[in-house]
């Protein structure tokens, strides 16, 4: 079974700082990878996803993530965070080519200060 | 825009009660999911369904059952609620396209079992 690790549980950054949130997964086969975000009081929504092709994936609101197969990683980055990026971020993985279950990490709470 | 509606935002039940959590989606999605979200544990899959009358166990099905009699509705049932089932419950749906489509989440039901 696949699993996902997010080592940063709570990150505090000042506005304009750069962001990198770690995500590592364990599964030997081909995977599809996702980042979801939950803004305060809102439902979870998709930030970006990787299925195949260019390992550098761009998502909404200036976020990007890089799939490094050799490291089983899919880290989320943003060059300059804004106060409105304050949210909880979840990495998720599933086996490629199926509609099978999506396994989520434990989440990283990002707090951006002015 | 896809809408996933969970019938209750907050619910308080007593230990031993039978609890029904309802979820309805309006986009004719084949797949539906029930997750629970707990601090420090992220989202954990309870049950999912690929089609009407179909169900499959997720990672933590114990103490829960589900029902999918109609395509748009997926119910989560706690046969005999216990305090360790106090949690945020999230329903999600997606197209049945081998997992390429993202999950669309509802706003969640915060269940407290006393």
């Amino acid at each position: 079974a696949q699993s996902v690790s997010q080592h940063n549980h709570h990150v505090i950054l000042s506005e304009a700082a750069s962001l990198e949130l770690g995500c590592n997964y364990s599964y030997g086969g081909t995977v599809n990878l996702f980042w979801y975000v939950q803004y305060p009081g809102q439902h979870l929504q998709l930030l970006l996803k990787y299925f195949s092709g260019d390992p550098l994936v761009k998502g909404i609101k200036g976020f990007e993530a890089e799939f490094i197969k050799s490291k089983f990683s899919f880290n989320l980055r943003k060059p300059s965070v804004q106060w409105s990026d304050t949210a909880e971020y979840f990495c998720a993985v599933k086996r490629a080519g199926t509609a099978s279950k999506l396994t989520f990490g434990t989440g990283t709470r990002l707090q951006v200060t002015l | 825009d896809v809408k996933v509606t969970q019938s209750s935002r907050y619910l308080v039940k007593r230990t031993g009660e039978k609890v029904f959590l309802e979820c309805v989606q309006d986009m004719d999605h084949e797949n539906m999911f029930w997750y629970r979200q707990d601090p420090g544990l992220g989202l954990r899959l309870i049950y999912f369904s690929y089609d009407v009358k179909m169900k499959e166990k997720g990672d933590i099905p114990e103490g829960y059952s589900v029902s999918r009699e109609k395509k748009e509705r997926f119910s989560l049932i706690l046969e005999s609620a216990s305090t360790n089932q106090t949690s945020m419950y999230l329903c999600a749906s997606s197209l049945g396209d081998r997992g390429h489509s993202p999950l669309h989440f509802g706003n969640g039901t915060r269940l407290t079992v006393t």
Side-chain angles (χ1 to χ4, degrees):
Chain A
Q2 64 265 28
S3 66
V4 181
S5 295
Q6 290 182 249
H7 303 294
N8 312 107
H9 299 295
H10 190 192
V11 174
I12 302 173
L13 293 173
S14 301
E15 259 203 336
S18 65
L19 169 72
E20 180 157 3
L21 301 183
C23 172
N24 288 90
Y25 67 92
S26 67
Y27 179 66
T30 306
V31 294
N32 299 143
L33 296 154
F34 306 79
W35 277 96
Y36 280 81
V37 60
Q38 188 172 33
Y39 297 103
Q42 295 187 27
H43 60 269
L44 273 150
Q45 56 188 284
L46 182 70
L47 201 54
L48 47 79
K49 61 183 179 180
Y50 172 79
F51 280 82
S52 63
D54 189 345
L56 185 62
V57 178
K58 294 194 185 299
I60 60 171
K61 303 188 180 186
F63 285 91
E64 64 179 32
E66 185 175 12
F67 171 49
I68 302 179
K69 190 174 181 181
S70 60
K71 294 185 178 180
F72 296 90
S73 71
F74 190 56
N75 292 354
L76 182 71
R77 300 194 294 245
K78 187 171 183 179
S80 175
V81 294
Q82 299 173 302
W83 179 80
S84 58
D85 293 324
T86 294
E88 190 154 19
Y89 293 82
F90 294 91
C91 183
V93 65
K94 72 169 191 65
R95 296 178 196 177
T98 72
S100 64
K101 60 183 186 179
L102 195 59
T103 299
F104 285 82
T106 53
T108 297
R109 186 171 298 278
L110 171 66
Q111 186 179 344
V112 180
T113 60
L114 296 170
Chain B
D1 206 18
V2 177
K3 196 161 176 66
V4 179
T5 304
Q6 295 184 230
S7 53
S8 304
R9 192 83 171 100
Y10 299 94
L11 214 50
V12 179
K13 296 292 181 181
R14 293 191 182 276
T15 301
E17 276 193 83
K18 189 168 186 175
V19 181
F20 293 87
L21 302 183
E22 305 288 347
C23 174
V24 177
Q25 49 94 4
D26 66 357
M27 283 301 290
D28 204 36
H29 283 174
E30 288 78 12
N31 305 325
M32 295 190 75
F33 307 81
W34 274 106
Y35 286 87
R36 62 179 280 178
Q37 182 179 11
D38 299 288
L41 297 177
L43 280 74
R44 293 178 291 166
L45 182 64
I46 304 171
Y47 267 97
F48 58 108
S49 169
Y50 294 143
D51 203 348
V52 177
K53 297 195 187 293
M54 256 216 55
K55 61 184 179 185
E56 288 204 32
K57 292 180 180 178
D59 296 316
I60 52 163
E62 297 78 19
Y64 303 95
S65 62
V66 289
S67 171
R68 192 156 179 212
E69 296 296 319
K70 292 185 178 180
K71 191 175 186 180
E72 67 270 19
R73 186 180 296 271
F74 192 36
S75 304
L76 180 69
I77 303 151
L78 286 65
E79 295 291 340
S80 176
S82 63
T83 54
N84 63 13
Q85 292 178 310
T86 291
S87 186
M88 172 69 87
Y89 289 87
L90 299 177
C91 176
S93 72
S94 70
L95 284 169
D97 57 354
R98 302 173 72 80
H100 281 248
S101 296
L103 266 60
H104 295 266
F105 284 87
N107 283 328
T109 296
R110 186 166 293 282
L111 172 68
T112 303
V113 183
T114 61

